[in-house]
Amino acid sequence: MDDSRLSYLTELAHEGVAWASWYDDARLAIEAICDPRGWDSVRFACALSALSPRVAVRRNVGLMAALTRGEGPQGLKATWAKASAIWRNPDGHEVCDRMLAIADSLPPGSSYKTACFAANLTGNMEPVTLDSWMCKACGEPVKMMASRPWYIDTTTAVQTIAAGMGLTPAGTQSAIWHAYALGEGGRVAMGQFAPLLLAENWGCL
């Protein structure tokens, strides 16, 4: 990554630093939902992450709520099938384990994005979740999500910025994401995620 782009991402991270606790806030919200119901918060986070590709934040939450209520696939196929395998299958914890293991490697593509998202939501703040907004912040087309060199380059850049700011890599990514997405008029910012989670109609206690 060239110096000008690294400088721009650093500026965004400082601008959005108030959002650096987003993953911690979301994890606490997930635990507040799961604990009284006797649900596994790790499986919840993994299923929620599996439903996240190419949907707005509000829809992501709504899809997960529908899954907990035992409803149908909501017009989805592949992502719903994966989320169902995590949430409804007795062996769903094994799917979670495989998913979270991906976050410790560095393959390209949406499966890596959702794995990192799940890892961050379960308290592992080292993986860096990279999505279409992060591609745009880096001045790259969304197709770059399929590029291993781009993933490595951008992850390294976020880690470098995090070290300089004394933040976690995940917190730094959240800061960059918010500053860029809100600046571009993101329809539902990630900052609303925890309140949306807590306000949703989840499955029965």
Side-chain angles (χ1 to χ4, degrees):
M1 180 175 293
D2 62 44
D3 289 344
S4 63
R5 182 57 58 176
L6 182 61
S7 177
Y8 174 62
L9 293 181
T10 302
E11 291 175 9
L12 288 175
H14 282 280
E15 183 181 336
V17 72
W19 302 108
S21 66
W22 181 88
Y23 288 106
D24 289 327
D25 295 340
R27 176 178 52 78
L28 292 173
I30 289 170
E31 291 173 356
I33 292 163
C34 292
D35 289 352
R37 295 170 170 81
W39 292 349
D40 185 331
S41 61
V42 173
R43 286 175 70 168
F44 185 102
C46 288
L48 180 67
S49 299
L51 291 167
S52 68
R54 296 177 296 281
V55 299
V57 174
R58 187 179 297 276
R59 177 156 169 74
N60 188 193
V61 173
L63 289 169
M64 185 61 199
L67 184 65
T68 68
R69 294 194 297 264
E71 298 174 13
Q74 312 293 304
L76 302 179
K77 292 184 179 180
T79 55
W80 188 269
K82 183 173 183 179
S84 293
I86 293 168
W87 188 248
R88 296 177 178 172
N89 190 318
D91 296 325
H93 63 281
E94 296 179 3
V95 182
C96 279
D97 290 344
R98 292 194 296 271
M99 186 178 189
L100 294 173
I102 292 173
D104 292 324
S105 61
L106 198 59
S110 60
S111 63
Y112 180 64
K113 178 262 179 182
T114 55
C116 288
F117 191 30
N120 296 157
L121 290 176
T122 55
N124 181 353
M125 304 296 278
E126 292 304 311
V128 178
T129 300
L130 301 176
D131 64 358
S132 59
W133 283 108
M134 290 297 291
C135 282
K136 294 172 184 176
C138 292
E140 300 288 356
V142 175
K143 67 181 181 181
M144 289 303 289
M145 288 181 66
S147 166
R148 180 182 175 87
W150 179 80
Y151 263 93
I152 294 172
D153 190 36
T154 306
T155 296
T156 300
V158 172
Q159 291 169 338
T160 298
I161 297 167
M165 294 180 66
L167 299 174
T168 64
T172 303
Q173 177 270 325
S174 178
I176 293 169
W177 193 103
H178 276 90
Y180 184 81
L182 290 172
E184 294 296 313
R187 287 179 297 172
V188 181
M190 283 173 64
Q192 295 176 300
F193 201 41
L196 284 171
L197 284 166
L198 293 171
E200 186 54 73
N201 177 27
W202 300 101
C204 296
L205 289 169

